[in-house]
Each structure stands twice: as C-alpha cells, then as structure tokens.
Amino acid sequence: MTSQKRIAILGAGPGGYVAAIRAAQLGARVTVVEREALGGVCLNWGCIPSKALLAAIELGDKLKKASEMGLTGLGTIGYDPVKMVARKQTVVSTLRRGVATLLKSWNITHLEGRGELLDQRTLRVVAPDGTATSVSADIIILATGSSWPNLPQFPIDGRQIITSREALELSVVPASLLIIGGGVEGCEFASLYSGLGAHVTVVELLPRLLPTEDEEISALITRELKKRGVEICTGTSVATVERRAEFMTATLKDGATVTGQQILVSVGRGFNSRDIGLEAVGVQLGRRGEVLVDESLQTNVPGIYAIGDVTGKSMLAHVASAQGKVAAAHALGHQARINYEVIPAGIFTLPEVGRVGLTEAQARSACETQGGDPARDLKVGRFRYAASGKAQATGETTGLFKLIADGRTGMLLGAHIVGGHASDLIHEAALAMEAGIPASHVAAMIHAHPTLAEGLMEAAEDLDGDAIHVAKARA
C-alpha cells in the first residue's frame, strides 16, 4: 500500500526537500540525506543570497533618485558590504530553519552526511563524525544537483579566482572584477558589483550577453550594464591569465588585455553524478554526465528516480521542485507531468528579466521548419515601460514587454519582459500558455489601472496593432 512505502531522497535542495514533503503528504515514510545545508545551493549559495544582496543595490538605485521625487535629507548613498552580507545570511538562515521545520512537521527523517547507493534499495550515509548508517527504501530519488566547475585555466583558489559562492561573501569590494561568462549568473553579478562601485569587465565567448535570451532583451540589458560602467567583451575568450600580487591580467583570444583584482568564473556547472554509487547499480548517464530519466523522472533502474540539475533537463530551482512533485507522485502511484515548454524564469539583473517560451529567433526558426512564412505566420507585440502610467509614477521607466504569437491561431509562443518586477509579471503570460488561452483573451481581460501588468495587455493588443497607448505608425 502507498502508506507503507519508504522513500529515501539523496539531496535536500529545492528538488529534494519538495519531493520529500510531497511524498510524505501522499503517505510515504521519508528519509532525506543532505551532506551540506538544507535548501541546497539555491537557498544557501545561489538564488536567495544573491537576490538579498541585489535588493540593496536596487534600493540604493531608487534612493539616488530621491531628490527628483521630492525627498530631502538623505545625504550620500553608500553601501556597507559587511552589513549586507550579515542581512543576507539572516535571510538564508531564516529560510533554512523554515525548511527544517517543514520536514519535521511531516515526520521526515533528516540525516546529515554524504550518501551513496550500495544497491538498488540501500543508501549508505557517512555522517560528519565518520559514523556510517544504512538506509533501506522501496524508492530512491536522486536530487544531488550540480556544482561549480574547476577549469584548469581558472584554478579556483577562493581568493583571487572565485566562484559565485565566494562572490556572495564580499566583506571588501574589489576595485575591479573580471567576470568570465556573460550568461545569467555573470550578468547578475555584474549588476551587483558594478552597483557597489567595482569596475566590472565581462568576457563572453558568444557574440552577445545572455546568449540564450531574446535578442532585444539581451541588447537592452547590455545597454543598461554599460550605463553602470561595465566593460563588455563578447565574441572572445580568455587565452592566458597572469597572476600578480594585487591584480591579474587576462589576455583575450583577440589580443586585448583586461585586468581585475579578482576573477569570477561563471561558465556553467557540472552534474553531481559522480561518487554516489550510480555505477554499482547501473544507472545510465548521458554524455555530459547527467542522469538519464524518462517523462516520469525514472532512471533505467526500477525504483530509482532523479530530479533537478543532475538530470540536465533545466537547471532552475523551480523546475527541480516541479520534478520533485512529479517523481514523488509517480513513485506512489499517482499521475503527474511537467510541461517543459512552459517554464517561466527570472534573471535578476538591474532591471530584471522575466521570460517564458520561445524567443523571436526560435519562433521564426520553428515556423520555417514547419513550412511557414514568419512574416505572415508570426506576430510580435511590444509595449515599452516608458508609456506606462505606473512606470512613470514610480520612476521605473526602463523596460519592455514583448509577446510572440502564432499568427494563425493567436496562441502565445513566447513572452519576454525586462523592467521592474518582470520576474513577477511574466506569470500571466505563462498561465495563458499553459492553459491554451489565446493572446486576444489577455488583451480583452480588464487589467487594473495603474499597474505595470497593463503593459502585458497593451503588448497583447499590439499583436494586432490595437494597443491604445502606442502611437500610430506613420504610413
């Protein structure tokens, strides 16, 4: 019976602890094994701490506009990195205790230590003091996540060459920071450190920053980072690094040189699939080292599931959580699924980005592959923050709403927002896509005024050239 099943979960990040709670809700006896901290990288060294620090920069940006909004007596705005880190740690500790409380409330056993598979139904857990425990289970869920790479050309020492983990513990702001990688993490840290006054240089191998995002969004974020004084080098990579006492000099492939007191390596993550006993039980891995799973998150070994970053599906915390719910439900005889085509995501640059679905380039490519004509069969609607009453009132006028729709069916294919609260606003578009609601319904729904969400309505109207607050194009 479902109530008698024992489930053991290796890893207590956003995938593992959510899977544990869902399994307990469905009646299972659950044990969670975690070698570091509850909440995993996301809560302790990723999503949450970086947003806590960026919140200070965002507030500082607003205070710098205080005089033009009629505030007086604020004086010079500065940052205390020690206090920022202390507040960040308070946020992290509060949420981590919250996870522990949730696990306890559902009678979930939490074992601290390093776990590995002994066989298809047994985990061996070695505690920090060296004592070993065996955990038997009917179902095992792997939620081991991913980790920072240690590339030969950028040997991480935690001082001069660092990862995002060390970058979140800033007690002293470096005069200059060289960021290797202009993806999501690299651009977020460029926003953070440039806001704190460091001279930031970002080196990106591909032709533009945020290379997986829509080109218009990438261009807007690039422009805003440059306004913050960030130096951007795209279409090149670091050939050599020369270490000196106070700073390092990097020579790029194109011959240019850039310097930094520290180098932040932000070029992807590796799957935590090694040294956890997968070979012993025959769990299959992909060519990148990811654990291969089916649509229910089952591996090739009956009774063993995998979720989160280690599956290589989508390295986002909320995807790991969704996978955890699906895996737990399926393991206990319930039906559940994940729609990987509708995964909203946020990028916490300043301003921030929200997106879901296809970029315009991807939509055009898909249209052509299906024999269509993008000029006829795709529609793109836009609305700029500067035309929003709420944005003008609050002083958040930098930004863009962009929707991409199928010109034949009117269904949304993608949505991209850059600007204030973009990561929150994107979910209306995501819900429309998930529910199969045409863009015309988004346009027709009455939106409260004055709100930023009206921008999504206007962009939906603009798909057909009907936006009220967009000036008529000249003939």
Side-chain angles (χ1 to χ4, degrees):
M1 293 177 61
T2 297
S3 61
Q4 299 301 309
K5 280 198 174 180
R6 300 164 299 167
I7 292 185
I9 301 173
L10 189 54
Y17 86 75
V18 168
I21 293 170
R22 179 49 49 89
Q25 289 172 340
L26 294 172
R29 290 159 51 197
V30 185
T31 299
V32 171
V33 178
E34 173 55 57
R35 66 180 181 179
E36 290 193 272
L38 292 175
V41 170
C42 173
L43 195 160
N44 295 279
W45 311 287
C47 314
I48 299 301
S50 62
K51 306 317 167 281
L53 294 174
L54 279 162
I57 307 301
E58 187 174 18
L59 180 58
D61 285 350
K62 291 180 179 179
L63 290 175
K64 289 173 184 177
K65 299 178 181 178
S67 61
E68 66 186 61
M69 298 186 77
L71 280 74
T72 61
L74 292 178
T76 302
I77 304 301
Y79 298 96
D80 183 334
V82 174
K83 287 184 178 180
M84 287 172 62
V85 169
R87 177 187 174 273
K88 176 266 296 183
Q89 197 54 46
T90 297
V91 171
V92 169
S93 298
T94 299
L95 291 172
R96 191 165 58 223
R97 288 194 302 271
V99 173
T101 299
L102 288 170
L103 296 182
K104 185 177 181 180
S105 75
W106 286 101
N107 295 317
I108 295 167
T109 300
H110 167 215
L111 296 180
E112 183 181 359
R114 182 183 171 278
E116 63 177 330
L117 290 161
L118 290 181
D119 57 45
Q120 295 183 16
R121 297 292 178 269
T122 311
L123 288 176
R124 179 174 181 265
V125 182
V126 179
D129 64 5
T131 58
T133 304
S134 291
V135 177
S136 297
D138 303 298
I139 301 292
I140 293 175
I141 299 176
L142 307 173
T144 48
S146 61
S147 55
W148 293 268
N150 199 350
L151 305 175
Q153 63 270 45
F154 306 116
I156 307 298
D157 61 17
R159 293 177 294 102
Q160 283 188 300
I161 301 180
I162 63 175
T163 68
S164 58
R165 187 163 182 164
E166 291 82 23
L168 293 168
E169 300 299 328
L170 65 162
S171 57
V172 177
V173 179
S176 55
L177 176 69
L178 171 57
I179 300 177
I180 309 299
V184 171
E185 182 182 89
C187 287
E188 289 184 353
F189 275 102
S191 292
L192 173 62
Y193 273 85
S194 63
L196 289 168
H199 176 73
V200 177
T201 302
V202 179
V203 177
E204 168 56 44
L205 175 64
L206 295 176
R208 58 188 175 90
L209 297 184
L210 299 177
T212 61
E213 301 303 312
D214 188 88
E215 284 196 42
E216 281 187 83
I217 305 306
S218 170
L220 201 157
I221 292 299
T222 298
R223 185 189 75 197
E224 293 304 309
L225 285 174
K226 286 181 177 179
K227 285 181 181 179
R228 290 178 172 274
V230 177
E231 183 180 349
I232 297 169
C233 306
T234 55
T236 188
S237 60
V238 175
T240 61
V241 174
E242 182 182 356
R243 288 176 179 260
R244 298 190 179 181
E246 296 297 325
F247 64 92
M248 288 169 289
T249 299
T251 301
L252 308 184
K253 290 284 188 181
D254 59 13
T257 59
V258 292
T259 61
Q261 280 191 326
Q262 290 180 309
I263 292 179
L264 169 60
V265 181
S266 181
V267 290
R269 298 176 64 81
F271 306 111
N272 291 337
S273 58
R274 297 181 181 276
D275 302 321
I276 57 173
L278 301 188
E279 303 85 356
V281 297
V283 171
Q284 290 182 354
L285 302 180
R287 62 180 180 81
R288 299 174 296 155
E290 75 278 19
V291 178
L292 298 178
V293 293
D294 64 16
E295 62 182 11
S296 300
L297 287 312
Q298 294 183 96
T299 70
N300 62 300
V301 178
I304 298 180
Y305 292 71
I307 60 175
D309 285 6
V310 77
T311 67
K313 294 285 188 182
S314 177
M315 299 176 83
L316 295 167
H318 46 287
V319 174
S321 296
Q323 289 176 327
K325 294 174 186 177
V326 168
H330 189 272
L332 294 166
H334 299 269
Q335 294 300 314
R337 70 176 187 91
I338 291 178
N339 182 2
Y340 289 104
E341 294 182 359
V342 183
I343 297 176
I347 302 173
F348 297 92
T349 44
L350 298 173
E352 65 185 42
V353 176
R355 50 98 166 159
V356 63
L358 302 179
T359 66
E360 184 178 352
Q362 289 170 336
R364 289 182 178 279
S365 177
C367 182
E368 290 170 351
T369 299
Q370 296 165 10
D373 177 5
R376 181 189 68 243
D377 298 327
L378 287 181
K379 293 180 179 180
V380 178
R382 298 175 179 85
F383 187 75
R384 300 197 175 277
Y385 269 54
S388 161
K390 178 65 176 289
Q392 287 287 345
T394 60
E396 297 179 296
T397 55
T398 299
L400 172 71
F401 293 85
K402 180 176 181 179
L403 299 180
I404 303 143
D406 187 312
R408 296 158 296 185
T409 65
M411 294 297 178
L412 285 175
L413 302 175
H416 306 270
I417 307 173
V418 57
H421 306 283
S423 62
D424 302 308
L425 293 165
I426 196 64
H427 292 88
E428 181 180 344
L431 179 59
M433 292 173 65
E434 179 70 26
I437 297 171
S440 59
H441 287 211
V442 176
M445 190 185 84
I446 298 173
H447 287 64
H449 176 77
T451 63
L452 292 175
E454 290 175 291
L456 203 62
M457 174 188 71
E458 296 266 7
E461 290 181 328
D462 190 52
L463 289 166
D464 292 312
D466 295 332
I468 297 298
H469 295 94
V470 173
K472 181 180 180 180
R474 292 182 180 179

